[in-house]
Amino acid sequence: MSGIFDALGEPVAQRVTGGLATIGQVLKSQAWKGAGPAGVTPTQAQALRVLRERPGTGLGALAGLLGVSAPTASTAVNTLVTKGLVVKEPGPDRRSITLRLTAAGEEVADRAAEWPAVLVRAVDALDPAEQTALLRSLVTLVRALQEAGEISPQRMCVTCRHFRPHVHADPRNPHHCAFVDEPFGDRHLRLDCAEQEEAAPEDRRAAWERFTSPDTAPR
Ligand code: SF4
């Protein structure tokens, strides 16, 4: 029992959300520090980072990955094109275009990629078990946002058709990646894997149930 704290009645979810919002502010201010000298805004810097990881992305897909509207993405891309950091190329069909970084864009993307270092240092202060628990929680949150249609599909293990949760007896490496045919553990869960292929909805659901089943949850 903790009368005073229980009486406050503030849901835990509200405080967690507040903490996430604080981290979001840190990321935003760091993004300005990192991207500002290169003469690009945080949204433009984020677009460069996405295009570095996914060359050939279309405008609509880029907007989804950035979590912004199509006009906002279009404005950011047009500015990057004017700055000589991005080029537009014809897409697979006549009406679509794909986007690629120029050599100058690659350089700015490299610099822009350095800004989360301050957060990496903070996460490094957690012990390995805490880092793994945090990673698992983040995977859960990102998946929930994706399933709710709030963000575009992310290239995560837990939604990948190659993901086989809890198929090995080894508690440190209970999962299996059928793509590389190797066991792995929660600490290896990926949020952005280039080899990820989205599983069918019913397979995603079944994998998630197995991944989060109380019988298989980490102890
Ligand atoms: S291919 Fe990538 S995303 Fe899919 S299970 Fe393997 S490591 Fe995870």
mmCIF file of all heavy atoms in Angstrom, residues 25-43 45 115:
data_model
loop_
_atom_site.group_PDB
_atom_site.id
_atom_site.type_symbol
_atom_site.label_atom_id
_atom_site.label_comp_id
_atom_site.label_asym_id
_atom_site.label_seq_id
_atom_site.Cartn_x
_atom_site.Cartn_y
_atom_site.Cartn_z
ATOM 1 N N GLN A 25 11.733 15.679 -27.131
ATOM 2 C CA GLN A 25 12.252 17.058 -27.154
ATOM 3 C C GLN A 25 13.770 17.061 -27.278
ATOM 4 O O GLN A 25 14.349 17.865 -28.006
ATOM 5 C CB GLN A 25 11.851 17.787 -25.855
ATOM 6 C CG GLN A 25 10.392 18.179 -25.793
ATOM 7 C CD GLN A 25 10.023 19.151 -26.908
ATOM 8 O OE1 GLN A 25 10.824 19.953 -27.332
ATOM 9 N NE2 GLN A 25 8.813 19.031 -27.414
ATOM 10 N N VAL A 26 14.411 16.133 -26.542
ATOM 11 C CA VAL A 26 15.877 16.048 -26.615
ATOM 12 C C VAL A 26 16.300 15.726 -28.044
ATOM 13 O O VAL A 26 17.215 16.350 -28.605
ATOM 14 C CB VAL A 26 16.406 14.946 -25.649
ATOM 15 C CG1 VAL A 26 17.893 14.710 -25.865
ATOM 16 C CG2 VAL A 26 16.145 15.342 -24.207
ATOM 17 N N LEU A 27 15.614 14.757 -28.639
ATOM 18 C CA LEU A 27 15.955 14.372 -30.016
ATOM 19 C C LEU A 27 15.786 15.546 -30.964
ATOM 20 O O LEU A 27 16.603 15.778 -31.847
ATOM 21 C CB LEU A 27 15.081 13.205 -30.468
ATOM 22 C CG LEU A 27 15.427 11.854 -29.846
ATOM 23 C CD1 LEU A 27 14.406 10.810 -30.248
ATOM 24 C CD2 LEU A 27 16.819 11.423 -30.274
ATOM 25 N N LYS A 28 14.713 16.297 -30.748
ATOM 26 C CA LYS A 28 14.440 17.421 -31.645
ATOM 27 C C LYS A 28 15.535 18.484 -31.528
ATOM 28 O O LYS A 28 16.060 18.975 -32.531
ATOM 29 C CB LYS A 28 13.075 18.019 -31.287
ATOM 30 C CG LYS A 28 12.410 18.690 -32.448
ATOM 31 C CD LYS A 28 10.978 19.024 -32.106
ATOM 32 C CE LYS A 28 10.370 19.845 -33.217
ATOM 33 N NZ LYS A 28 9.050 20.322 -32.883
ATOM 34 N N SER A 29 15.900 18.805 -30.287
ATOM 35 C CA SER A 29 16.916 19.853 -30.122
ATOM 36 C C SER A 29 18.267 19.363 -30.621
ATOM 37 O O SER A 29 19.036 20.115 -31.220
ATOM 38 C CB SER A 29 16.999 20.318 -28.668
ATOM 39 O OG SER A 29 17.577 19.329 -27.874
ATOM 40 N N GLN A 30 18.552 18.060 -30.406
ATOM 41 C CA GLN A 30 19.815 17.518 -30.931
ATOM 42 C C GLN A 30 19.804 17.509 -32.449
ATOM 43 O O GLN A 30 20.826 17.718 -33.096
ATOM 44 C CB GLN A 30 20.037 16.095 -30.400
ATOM 45 C CG GLN A 30 20.375 16.041 -28.923
ATOM 46 C CD GLN A 30 21.694 16.728 -28.617
ATOM 47 O OE1 GLN A 30 22.681 16.551 -29.331
ATOM 48 N NE2 GLN A 30 21.714 17.538 -27.575
ATOM 49 N N ALA A 31 18.629 17.242 -33.006
ATOM 50 C CA ALA A 31 18.522 17.223 -34.475
ATOM 51 C C ALA A 31 18.846 18.594 -35.039
ATOM 52 O O ALA A 31 19.537 18.726 -36.044
ATOM 53 C CB ALA A 31 17.114 16.806 -34.882
ATOM 54 N N TRP A 32 18.357 19.649 -34.364
ATOM 55 C CA TRP A 32 18.662 21.004 -34.837
ATOM 56 C C TRP A 32 20.157 21.268 -34.758
ATOM 57 O O TRP A 32 20.752 21.821 -35.665
ATOM 58 C CB TRP A 32 17.900 22.046 -33.995
ATOM 59 C CG TRP A 32 16.547 22.316 -34.540
ATOM 60 C CD1 TRP A 32 15.352 22.008 -33.968
ATOM 61 C CD2 TRP A 32 16.225 22.946 -35.792
ATOM 62 N NE1 TRP A 32 14.313 22.394 -34.770
ATOM 63 C CE2 TRP A 32 14.822 22.985 -35.899
ATOM 64 C CE3 TRP A 32 16.988 23.477 -36.834
ATOM 65 C CZ2 TRP A 32 14.156 23.515 -36.986
ATOM 66 C CZ3 TRP A 32 16.334 24.012 -37.926
ATOM 67 C CH2 TRP A 32 14.941 24.034 -37.998
ATOM 68 N N LYS A 33 20.782 20.827 -33.628
ATOM 69 C CA LYS A 33 22.227 21.060 -33.472
ATOM 70 C C LYS A 33 23.002 20.330 -34.562
ATOM 71 O O LYS A 33 23.957 20.844 -35.124
ATOM 72 C CB LYS A 33 22.699 20.544 -32.102
ATOM 73 C CG LYS A 33 22.421 21.506 -30.969
ATOM 74 C CD LYS A 33 23.098 20.999 -29.707
ATOM 75 C CE LYS A 33 22.375 21.486 -28.478
ATOM 76 N NZ LYS A 33 22.699 20.733 -27.282
ATOM 77 N N GLY A 34 22.585 19.068 -34.833
ATOM 78 C CA GLY A 34 23.321 18.253 -35.815
ATOM 79 C C GLY A 34 23.057 18.672 -37.235
ATOM 80 O O GLY A 34 23.961 18.716 -38.064
ATOM 81 N N ALA A 35 21.800 18.997 -37.514
ATOM 82 C CA ALA A 35 21.448 19.280 -38.906
ATOM 83 C C ALA A 35 21.661 20.742 -39.271
ATOM 84 O O ALA A 35 21.958 21.070 -40.415
ATOM 85 C CB ALA A 35 19.986 18.910 -39.135
ATOM 86 N N GLY A 36 21.526 21.628 -38.262
ATOM 87 C CA GLY A 36 21.618 23.056 -38.540
ATOM 88 C C GLY A 36 22.856 23.466 -39.309
ATOM 89 O O GLY A 36 22.743 24.161 -40.336
ATOM 90 N N PRO A 37 24.064 23.054 -38.836
ATOM 91 C CA PRO A 37 25.267 23.474 -39.545
ATOM 92 C C PRO A 37 25.278 23.035 -41.007
ATOM 93 O O PRO A 37 25.929 23.656 -41.847
ATOM 94 C CB PRO A 37 26.397 22.786 -38.762
ATOM 95 C CG PRO A 37 25.824 22.567 -37.401
ATOM 96 C CD PRO A 37 24.357 22.300 -37.619
ATOM 97 N N ALA A 38 24.583 21.966 -41.319
ATOM 98 C CA ALA A 38 24.547 21.497 -42.717
ATOM 99 C C ALA A 38 23.499 22.266 -43.513
ATOM 100 O O ALA A 38 23.344 22.038 -44.717
ATOM 101 C CB ALA A 38 24.236 20.005 -42.751
ATOM 102 N N GLY A 39 22.793 23.157 -42.858
ATOM 103 C CA GLY A 39 21.815 23.984 -43.556
ATOM 104 C C GLY A 39 20.532 23.257 -43.879
ATOM 105 O O GLY A 39 19.818 23.638 -44.799
ATOM 106 N N VAL A 40 20.222 22.209 -43.124
ATOM 107 C CA VAL A 40 18.960 21.496 -43.360
ATOM 108 C C VAL A 40 18.166 21.439 -42.055
ATOM 109 O O VAL A 40 18.732 21.494 -40.964
ATOM 110 C CB VAL A 40 19.183 20.050 -43.891
ATOM 111 C CG1 VAL A 40 19.816 20.074 -45.256
ATOM 112 C CG2 VAL A 40 20.029 19.230 -42.926
ATOM 113 N N THR A 41 16.862 21.341 -42.183
ATOM 114 C CA THR A 41 16.007 21.242 -41.001
ATOM 115 C C THR A 41 15.994 19.785 -40.517
ATOM 116 O O THR A 41 16.411 18.874 -41.249
ATOM 117 C CB THR A 41 14.561 21.637 -41.351
ATOM 118 O OG1 THR A 41 14.049 20.660 -42.265
ATOM 119 C CG2 THR A 41 14.488 23.011 -41.978
ATOM 120 N N PRO A 42 15.509 19.545 -39.276
ATOM 121 C CA PRO A 42 15.435 18.165 -38.805
ATOM 122 C C PRO A 42 14.640 17.251 -39.740
ATOM 123 O O PRO A 42 15.020 16.102 -39.962
ATOM 124 C CB PRO A 42 14.753 18.302 -37.441
ATOM 125 C CG PRO A 42 15.147 19.656 -36.966
ATOM 126 C CD PRO A 42 15.161 20.508 -38.203
ATOM 127 N N THR A 43 13.532 17.747 -40.298
ATOM 128 C CA THR A 43 12.743 16.891 -41.208
ATOM 129 C C THR A 43 13.556 16.550 -42.445
ATOM 130 O O THR A 43 13.568 15.399 -42.910
ATOM 131 C CB THR A 43 11.437 17.607 -41.617
ATOM 132 O OG1 THR A 43 10.697 17.913 -40.436
ATOM 133 C CG2 THR A 43 10.589 16.734 -42.530
ATOM 134 N N ALA A 45 16.816 16.494 -42.595
ATOM 135 C CA ALA A 45 17.893 15.594 -42.169
ATOM 136 C C ALA A 45 17.366 14.171 -42.020
ATOM 137 O O ALA A 45 18.020 13.200 -42.415
ATOM 138 C CB ALA A 45 18.481 16.074 -40.841
ATOM 139 N N TRP A 115 23.589 12.770 -34.788
ATOM 140 C CA TRP A 115 22.952 13.499 -33.694
ATOM 141 C C TRP A 115 22.349 12.674 -32.574
ATOM 142 O O TRP A 115 22.276 13.145 -31.447
ATOM 143 C CB TRP A 115 21.962 14.531 -34.233
ATOM 144 C CG TRP A 115 20.828 14.015 -35.067
ATOM 145 C CD1 TRP A 115 20.741 14.046 -36.411
ATOM 146 C CD2 TRP A 115 19.615 13.429 -34.622
ATOM 147 N NE1 TRP A 115 19.561 13.508 -36.837
ATOM 148 C CE2 TRP A 115 18.846 13.128 -35.752
ATOM 149 C CE3 TRP A 115 19.096 13.126 -33.358
ATOM 150 C CZ2 TRP A 115 17.600 12.536 -35.672
ATOM 151 C CZ3 TRP A 115 17.848 12.527 -33.279
ATOM 152 C CH2 TRP A 115 17.126 12.236 -34.426
#
